[in-house]
Amino acid sequence: MDNLAINVPPLAQYSSETLDKAVKQGTDALLNLQKEDGHWAFELEADATIPAEYILLDHFLGDIRQPLHERMAKYLRQTQEAHGGWPLFHRGDFNISASVKSYYALKCVGDDINAPHMVRARQAILEFGGAEKSNVFTRIQLALFGAVPWHAVPVMPVEIIFLPKWFPFHLSKVAYWSRTVIVPLLVLMAQKPQAKNPRNIKVDELFVTPQAEVKDWNSNRTRSIWNPIFRWIDNVLRFFEPHMPKKLRARAIDKCVAWVTERLNGEDGLGAIYPAMANSVMMYSCIGRSADHPDFAVARKSVDRLVVDGDDRTYCQPCLSPVWDTGLALHALIEAGAPKDRLAKGCEWLITKQVLDVIGDWAAFRPHVRPGGWAFQYNNAHYPDVDDTAVVVMALDRLDKDKYRHAIERGAEWVLGLQSKNGGWGAFDADNIYYYLNHIPFADHGALLDPPSADVSARCLGMLAQLGYVKTHPGVAASIDYLRREQEPEGCWFGRWGTNYVYGTWSVLCALNAVGVDPKDPMIRRAIDWLLAKQREDGGWGEDGASYWTEQPKGECAVSTPAQTSWALLGLMAAGEVDHPAVSKGIKHLTDTQTAHGLWKEDYYTAVGFPRVFYLSYHGYKAFFPVWTLARYKNLKQSNATQVLFGM
């Protein structure tokens, strides 16, 4: 591999004019998308479940918005796959829960169950085993509509809100997204409201076994000693739950409502994520809050702000991503040499989003750490995350480290304060490693927790290295050791928030380079070899969401994507391989696939909310990552350098 790199021609023979043009076109296109106040915000698309749930939410409330629902129904029909159902990501396999929700929503909108697309969907659902095979969250949705009995869902007594922190189950021991979803859901599960469902839509035809005759609704089949234990606990709770003292139940409901109201987050919504926001709306409805009550109204408004209502596609986003988009866009444009006044405007907007005065839920296990992070969304003060914080800090440092020194130092202090004991970082909390909780019946999605991950840890390490922290610093040394332990046998690293091993490997290689790990270290050489082996014939890289299943190959896809090609190239360049032929081939792939508008096309999903459960398509990834990559390659070649000087 090293011998091959010697024979690569200089930049002049690469058609530098083509490269310059590609960087300029991409830079101009990105700048044209900057908002007036300096930030960037791209669409964030998930699977069909979110628009389906939006339609079902309106039918729960009895608020039928037929024209809007019909536009969303068109989106649902467009995303139905050849297998008859709906996948979790573009061109993915059939997913029972996404298919049941989509079918139900389409039926609510008015689609004839004998229409060809409904027949195909129904057949696919029945062949899979019927709607009784749906996950817990889908069965809760069905229970709210009277489509399954409430004993089809696990028992979660609202009184658990009173459990002490030392108890094996406590809200502080699950991830922020679980926490914000569960608390309003506890009220719903206690009250067991029925949807207004004005058209009285049911989906009995989706069940292989009549709902009342289904004996075993448990869908958490994890192989663990905890599984049968928690099933036994569920049976015990199921017996006692109806007999809970009424006064205690009322107090518990009041406490849950107060918890939600404290974190309502204005028009940005509870947790600033759709499932929690929708649950808060239904919670307020079932406790009797009218549509014009301030809490109900703002919760409802937060959900509606997620709707993308375009000429050709209308859907509901799972959340908004402006801080993440702005931080990454700034990195790309700084690399590309964009006008400093435009960059400064973006940084100034980010400065206003730093959380300095709210002690969020993260303080439950880090009470002495000062706040100083950034959240992912416009506002989500209780739930900043270290990934966004690291990206923003590195962007501020690159543009003007002296001007933004205070913000940089507070951000770094907060990130260091949230390092877990094993040397890594989770996204929102420290030491969120209560793995036994993933075996409770409610957690059949396996995503109840926020443990440290290689990609997030790498971002934090890269930030510290860029700020001048050295390898002997205790936090840095522990992080390097953690990443060394986390490397997969093949040489790659797992990507928790981006798909998947290409994303994780890029993240780690950038961090190891920044902190000064020798490029000849076997850990780095194995990662380089893995990336090179995964390059596709067209010069790009691709990896689909199936790689999160253990039996599926890592780093492979039917197509190359601009985002994953960029990650692979950025990783190789960070590892000192700017002169490798594979890099020039990948750069050519990006320049060849750039559209006339200066950006790129990307249908395949390249990100993940919860592995094997919930996938994401960041519309910004096909914009800023290729620009960033081309600009970095250009800069390294023109300066005849082989070392990247930044944390990512």
PDB file of all heavy atoms in Angstrom, residues 520-536:
ATOM      1  N   LYS A 520       1.597   4.796  11.750  1.00  0.00           N
ATOM      2  CA  LYS A 520       2.028   3.412  11.553  1.00  0.00           C
ATOM      3  C   LYS A 520       1.503   2.481  12.642  1.00  0.00           C
ATOM      4  O   LYS A 520       1.766   1.273  12.599  1.00  0.00           O
ATOM      5  CB  LYS A 520       3.556   3.352  11.499  1.00  0.00           C
ATOM      6  CG  LYS A 520       4.147   4.076  10.299  1.00  0.00           C
ATOM      7  CD  LYS A 520       5.663   3.972  10.279  1.00  0.00           C
ATOM      8  CE  LYS A 520       6.261   4.721   9.076  1.00  0.00           C
ATOM      9  NZ  LYS A 520       7.745   4.647   9.059  1.00  0.00           N
ATOM     10  N   ASP A 521       0.776   3.035  13.601  1.00  0.00           N
ATOM     11  CA  ASP A 521       0.182   2.213  14.646  1.00  0.00           C
ATOM     12  C   ASP A 521      -0.695   1.152  13.992  1.00  0.00           C
ATOM     13  O   ASP A 521      -1.494   1.454  13.106  1.00  0.00           O
ATOM     14  CB  ASP A 521      -0.655   3.101  15.575  1.00  0.00           C
ATOM     15  CG  ASP A 521      -1.178   2.363  16.795  1.00  0.00           C
ATOM     16  OD1 ASP A 521      -1.919   1.373  16.620  1.00  0.00           O
ATOM     17  OD2 ASP A 521      -0.881   2.782  17.922  1.00  0.00           O
ATOM     18  N   PRO A 522      -0.569  -0.116  14.396  1.00  0.00           N
ATOM     19  CA  PRO A 522      -1.374  -1.183  13.785  1.00  0.00           C
ATOM     20  C   PRO A 522      -2.871  -0.894  13.793  1.00  0.00           C
ATOM     21  O   PRO A 522      -3.591  -1.293  12.871  1.00  0.00           O
ATOM     22  CB  PRO A 522      -1.032  -2.407  14.644  1.00  0.00           C
ATOM     23  CG  PRO A 522       0.327  -2.121  15.182  1.00  0.00           C
ATOM     24  CD  PRO A 522       0.375  -0.639  15.401  1.00  0.00           C
ATOM     25  N   MET A 523      -3.339  -0.196  14.804  1.00  0.00           N
ATOM     26  CA  MET A 523      -4.752   0.158  14.871  1.00  0.00           C
ATOM     27  C   MET A 523      -5.159   0.995  13.663  1.00  0.00           C
ATOM     28  O   MET A 523      -6.207   0.765  13.034  1.00  0.00           O
ATOM     29  CB  MET A 523      -5.006   0.931  16.177  1.00  0.00           C
ATOM     30  CG  MET A 523      -6.362   1.571  16.303  1.00  0.00           C
ATOM     31  SD  MET A 523      -6.663   2.273  17.960  1.00  0.00           S
ATOM     32  CE  MET A 523      -5.266   3.381  18.195  1.00  0.00           C
ATOM     33  N   ILE A 524      -4.335   1.960  13.299  1.00  0.00           N
ATOM     34  CA  ILE A 524      -4.633   2.826  12.164  1.00  0.00           C
ATOM     35  C   ILE A 524      -4.428   2.094  10.850  1.00  0.00           C
ATOM     36  O   ILE A 524      -5.244   2.212   9.918  1.00  0.00           O
ATOM     37  CB  ILE A 524      -3.760   4.096  12.229  1.00  0.00           C
ATOM     38  CG1 ILE A 524      -4.161   4.945  13.449  1.00  0.00           C
ATOM     39  CG2 ILE A 524      -3.878   4.905  10.938  1.00  0.00           C
ATOM     40  CD1 ILE A 524      -3.338   6.190  13.645  1.00  0.00           C
ATOM     41  N   ARG A 525      -3.367   1.305  10.734  1.00  0.00           N
ATOM     42  CA  ARG A 525      -3.113   0.586   9.481  1.00  0.00           C
ATOM     43  C   ARG A 525      -4.243  -0.386   9.170  1.00  0.00           C
ATOM     44  O   ARG A 525      -4.651  -0.545   8.017  1.00  0.00           O
ATOM     45  CB  ARG A 525      -1.779  -0.177   9.552  1.00  0.00           C
ATOM     46  CG  ARG A 525      -0.551   0.669   9.851  1.00  0.00           C
ATOM     47  CD  ARG A 525      -0.493   1.982   9.119  1.00  0.00           C
ATOM     48  NE  ARG A 525      -0.486   1.827   7.651  1.00  0.00           N
ATOM     49  CZ  ARG A 525      -0.509   2.837   6.801  1.00  0.00           C
ATOM     50  NH1 ARG A 525      -0.569   4.077   7.249  1.00  0.00           N
ATOM     51  NH2 ARG A 525      -0.482   2.620   5.505  1.00  0.00           N
ATOM     52  N   ARG A 526      -4.782  -1.061  10.191  1.00  0.00           N
ATOM     53  CA  ARG A 526      -5.879  -1.996   9.964  1.00  0.00           C
ATOM     54  C   ARG A 526      -7.128  -1.263   9.505  1.00  0.00           C
ATOM     55  O   ARG A 526      -7.882  -1.758   8.657  1.00  0.00           O
ATOM     56  CB  ARG A 526      -6.169  -2.792  11.238  1.00  0.00           C
ATOM     57  CG  ARG A 526      -5.060  -3.793  11.582  1.00  0.00           C
ATOM     58  CD  ARG A 526      -5.256  -4.381  12.966  1.00  0.00           C
ATOM     59  NE  ARG A 526      -6.565  -5.003  13.096  1.00  0.00           N
ATOM     60  CZ  ARG A 526      -7.371  -4.850  14.139  1.00  0.00           C
ATOM     61  NH1 ARG A 526      -7.015  -4.068  15.138  1.00  0.00           N
ATOM     62  NH2 ARG A 526      -8.525  -5.466  14.182  1.00  0.00           N
ATOM     63  N   ALA A 527      -7.355  -0.073  10.046  1.00  0.00           N
ATOM     64  CA  ALA A 527      -8.523   0.713   9.634  1.00  0.00           C
ATOM     65  C   ALA A 527      -8.380   1.176   8.184  1.00  0.00           C
ATOM     66  O   ALA A 527      -9.350   1.153   7.414  1.00  0.00           O
ATOM     67  CB  ALA A 527      -8.685   1.920  10.562  1.00  0.00           C
ATOM     68  N   ILE A 528      -7.184   1.590   7.800  1.00  0.00           N
ATOM     69  CA  ILE A 528      -6.934   1.998   6.410  1.00  0.00           C
ATOM     70  C   ILE A 528      -7.191   0.824   5.471  1.00  0.00           C
ATOM     71  O   ILE A 528      -7.875   0.969   4.439  1.00  0.00           O
ATOM     72  CB  ILE A 528      -5.487   2.507   6.254  1.00  0.00           C
ATOM     73  CG1 ILE A 528      -5.292   3.821   7.012  1.00  0.00           C
ATOM     74  CG2 ILE A 528      -5.140   2.686   4.771  1.00  0.00           C
ATOM     75  CD1 ILE A 528      -3.841   4.255   7.110  1.00  0.00           C
ATOM     76  N   ASP A 529      -6.657  -0.337   5.816  1.00  0.00           N
ATOM     77  CA  ASP A 529      -6.843  -1.516   4.971  1.00  0.00           C
ATOM     78  C   ASP A 529      -8.328  -1.843   4.809  1.00  0.00           C
ATOM     79  O   ASP A 529      -8.777  -2.233   3.728  1.00  0.00           O
ATOM     80  CB  ASP A 529      -6.111  -2.719   5.563  1.00  0.00           C
ATOM     81  CG  ASP A 529      -4.593  -2.587   5.450  1.00  0.00           C
ATOM     82  OD1 ASP A 529      -4.130  -1.754   4.642  1.00  0.00           O
ATOM     83  OD2 ASP A 529      -3.884  -3.309   6.172  1.00  0.00           O
ATOM     84  N   TRP A 530      -9.079  -1.704   5.893  1.00  0.00           N
ATOM     85  CA  TRP A 530     -10.515  -2.001   5.817  1.00  0.00           C
ATOM     86  C   TRP A 530     -11.224  -1.031   4.873  1.00  0.00           C
ATOM     87  O   TRP A 530     -12.023  -1.446   4.024  1.00  0.00           O
ATOM     88  CB  TRP A 530     -11.142  -1.942   7.216  1.00  0.00           C
ATOM     89  CG  TRP A 530     -12.594  -2.328   7.195  1.00  0.00           C
ATOM     90  CD1 TRP A 530     -13.112  -3.582   7.229  1.00  0.00           C
ATOM     91  CD2 TRP A 530     -13.720  -1.435   7.108  1.00  0.00           C
ATOM     92  NE1 TRP A 530     -14.488  -3.541   7.167  1.00  0.00           N
ATOM     93  CE2 TRP A 530     -14.880  -2.236   7.096  1.00  0.00           C
ATOM     94  CE3 TRP A 530     -13.849  -0.045   7.040  1.00  0.00           C
ATOM     95  CZ2 TRP A 530     -16.171  -1.686   7.025  1.00  0.00           C
ATOM     96  CZ3 TRP A 530     -15.126   0.505   6.961  1.00  0.00           C
ATOM     97  CH2 TRP A 530     -16.274  -0.308   6.954  1.00  0.00           C
ATOM     98  N   LEU A 531     -10.940   0.263   5.015  1.00  0.00           N
ATOM     99  CA  LEU A 531     -11.568   1.245   4.131  1.00  0.00           C
ATOM    100  C   LEU A 531     -11.209   0.990   2.671  1.00  0.00           C
ATOM    101  O   LEU A 531     -12.075   1.060   1.783  1.00  0.00           O
ATOM    102  CB  LEU A 531     -11.152   2.663   4.530  1.00  0.00           C
ATOM    103  CG  LEU A 531     -11.864   3.293   5.723  1.00  0.00           C
ATOM    104  CD1 LEU A 531     -11.249   4.648   6.053  1.00  0.00           C
ATOM    105  CD2 LEU A 531     -13.367   3.446   5.458  1.00  0.00           C
ATOM    106  N   LEU A 532      -9.958   0.704   2.406  1.00  0.00           N
ATOM    107  CA  LEU A 532      -9.533   0.447   1.027  1.00  0.00           C
ATOM    108  C   LEU A 532     -10.250  -0.772   0.451  1.00  0.00           C
ATOM    109  O   LEU A 532     -10.635  -0.785  -0.723  1.00  0.00           O
ATOM    110  CB  LEU A 532      -8.020   0.248   0.967  1.00  0.00           C
ATOM    111  CG  LEU A 532      -7.166   1.481   1.289  1.00  0.00           C
ATOM    112  CD1 LEU A 532      -5.695   1.102   1.319  1.00  0.00           C
ATOM    113  CD2 LEU A 532      -7.414   2.600   0.274  1.00  0.00           C
ATOM    114  N   ALA A 533     -10.445  -1.776   1.284  1.00  0.00           N
ATOM    115  CA  ALA A 533     -11.106  -2.998   0.817  1.00  0.00           C
ATOM    116  C   ALA A 533     -12.578  -2.772   0.519  1.00  0.00           C
ATOM    117  O   ALA A 533     -13.181  -3.535  -0.251  1.00  0.00           O
ATOM    118  CB  ALA A 533     -10.946  -4.100   1.868  1.00  0.00           C
ATOM    119  N   LYS A 534     -13.169  -1.733   1.089  1.00  0.00           N
ATOM    120  CA  LYS A 534     -14.597  -1.480   0.911  1.00  0.00           C
ATOM    121  C   LYS A 534     -14.898  -0.472  -0.203  1.00  0.00           C
ATOM    122  O   LYS A 534     -16.069  -0.166  -0.457  1.00  0.00           O
ATOM    123  CB  LYS A 534     -15.209  -0.981   2.225  1.00  0.00           C
ATOM    124  CG  LYS A 534     -15.174  -2.021   3.340  1.00  0.00           C
ATOM    125  CD  LYS A 534     -15.942  -3.283   2.961  1.00  0.00           C
ATOM    126  CE  LYS A 534     -15.860  -4.349   4.034  1.00  0.00           C
ATOM    127  NZ  LYS A 534     -16.603  -5.577   3.653  1.00  0.00           N
ATOM    128  N   GLN A 535     -13.857   0.047  -0.849  1.00  0.00           N
ATOM    129  CA  GLN A 535     -14.111   0.977  -1.947  1.00  0.00           C
ATOM    130  C   GLN A 535     -14.799   0.229  -3.092  1.00  0.00           C
ATOM    131  O   GLN A 535     -14.420  -0.875  -3.466  1.00  0.00           O
ATOM    132  CB  GLN A 535     -12.815   1.613  -2.444  1.00  0.00           C
ATOM    133  CG  GLN A 535     -13.041   2.711  -3.487  1.00  0.00           C
ATOM    134  CD  GLN A 535     -11.768   3.463  -3.829  1.00  0.00           C
ATOM    135  OE1 GLN A 535     -10.662   2.897  -3.730  1.00  0.00           O
ATOM    136  NE2 GLN A 535     -11.881   4.719  -4.216  1.00  0.00           N
ATOM    137  N   ARG A 536     -15.814   0.848  -3.671  1.00  0.00           N
ATOM    138  CA  ARG A 536     -16.568   0.232  -4.754  1.00  0.00           C
ATOM    139  C   ARG A 536     -15.887   0.500  -6.101  1.00  0.00           C
ATOM    140  O   ARG A 536     -15.010   1.357  -6.213  1.00  0.00           O
ATOM    141  CB  ARG A 536     -17.998   0.772  -4.757  1.00  0.00           C
ATOM    142  CG  ARG A 536     -18.811   0.305  -3.547  1.00  0.00           C
ATOM    143  CD  ARG A 536     -20.137   1.034  -3.417  1.00  0.00           C
ATOM    144  NE  ARG A 536     -20.835   1.079  -4.689  1.00  0.00           N
ATOM    145  CZ  ARG A 536     -21.523   0.065  -5.221  1.00  0.00           C
ATOM    146  NH1 ARG A 536     -21.609  -1.080  -4.554  1.00  0.00           N
ATOM    147  NH2 ARG A 536     -22.123   0.195  -6.384  1.00  0.00           N
TER     148      ARG A 536
END
